[in-house]
């Protein structure tokens, strides 16, 4: 019998680079620098993806989407999240809630936290009040040129094991169930 609940934890960091858009939680935030990386550098979506994959003891994001593979160059990180959610569903689980802490010196996340929370909730197909977005500045850490994301997720066992019976992840995102 599968455990009724599972937790997952994800961590990621990216370095700030000039003249690229700053993507956090699937949104583009106004800032003079963005996060470098092979994909769009969305540190929060990467940490959520790894937390989901970790919760089902799956392969990590780097194994599924290797930076050496040119098809993930500048990729929208929502693709990685969608794959992780699909794997969670295939494993017979669903996401209950997630909590995150971002650590970055700038820009301030507070003014954007509600928009990020809403967008992440839509991407994950969970209620807005099941997404925690917190932010800290990196006091004494010497990581002013990086953004770091820590994420915890809770999964519960799906009530129906009939995965054909429910909306697929893409439909939840779209958001229609046909
Ligand atoms: Zn990353």
């Amino acid at each position: 019998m599968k455990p009724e609940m599972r937790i997952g934890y994800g961590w990621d960091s990216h370095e700030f680079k000039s003249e690229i858009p700053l993507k956090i939680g699937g949104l583009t935030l106004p800032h003079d620098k963005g996060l470098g990386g092979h994909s769009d550098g969305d540190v929060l979506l990467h940490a959520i993806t790894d937390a989901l994959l970790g919760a089902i003891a799956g392969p990590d994001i780097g194994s599924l989407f290797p930076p050496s593979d040119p098809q993930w160059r500048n990729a929208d990180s929502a693709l990685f999240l969608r794959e992780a959610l699909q794997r969670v569903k295939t494993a017979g689980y669903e996401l209950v809630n997630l909590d995150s802490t971002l650590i970055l010196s700038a820009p301030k996340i507070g003014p954007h936290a509600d928009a990020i929370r809403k967008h992440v909730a839509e991407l994950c197909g969970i209620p807005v009040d099941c997404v925690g977005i917190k932010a800290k500045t990196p006091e004494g850490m010497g990581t002013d040129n990086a953004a770091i994301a820590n994420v915890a997720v809770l999964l519960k066992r799906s009530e129906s094991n009939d995965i054909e019976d429910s909306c697929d992840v893409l439909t939840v995102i779209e958001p229609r169930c046909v």
Side-chain angles (χ1 to χ4, degrees):
M1 192 67 174
K2 285 189 267 195
E4 195 172 331
M5 293 190 146
R6 286 172 171 259
I7 62 164
Y9 169 71
W11 184 95
D12 195 29
S13 74
H14 282 262
E15 190 176 10
F16 279 104
K17 298 251 156 78
S18 299
E19 293 170 17
I20 55 171
L22 174 61
K23 293 278 296 279
I24 293 187
L27 298 182
T28 304
L29 304 187
H31 195 49
D32 59 347
K33 292 177 196 166
L35 295 171
H38 197 68
S39 66
D40 64 6
D42 195 322
V43 69
L44 179 57
L45 293 193
H46 293 181
I48 296 171
T49 299
D50 249 357
L52 290 166
L53 294 169
I56 54 166
D60 67 11
I61 188 171
S63 311
L64 288 180
F65 308 102
S68 54
D69 188 336
Q71 72 169 306
W72 309 123
R73 190 170 165 77
N74 299 322
D76 179 350
S77 295
L79 286 173
F80 308 154
L81 177 58
R82 219 170 281 160
E83 172 66 21
L85 287 164
Q86 187 60 53
R87 284 174 179 253
V88 164
K89 191 173 145 187
T90 303
Y93 286 89
E94 59 191 83
L95 177 60
V96 177
N97 76 309
L98 72 86
D99 187 23
S100 69
T101 303
L102 291 159
I103 304 163
L104 70 176
S105 57
K108 287 208 176 308
I109 295 299
H112 308 291
D114 281 345
I116 295 172
R117 184 176 295 119
K118 188 161 175 274
H119 192 67
V120 168
E122 275 172 24
L123 290 173
C124 292
I126 58 175
V128 178
D129 66 1
C130 289
V131 177
I133 303 287
K134 312 184 299 300
K136 319 267 294 175
T137 50
E139 302 299 323
M141 287 177 59
T143 56
D144 283 6
N145 203 39
I148 293 165
N150 290 270
V151 171
V153 299
L154 180 68
L155 308 185
K156 69 170 180 185
R157 204 168 57 212
S158 300
E159 281 168 23
S160 165
N161 277 335
D162 182 4
I163 60 169
E164 302 301 322
D165 198 36
S166 52
C167 303
D168 67 28
V169 171
L170 283 174
T171 342
V172 171
I173 289 164
E174 294 262 305
R176 257 170 60 238
C177 183
V178 284

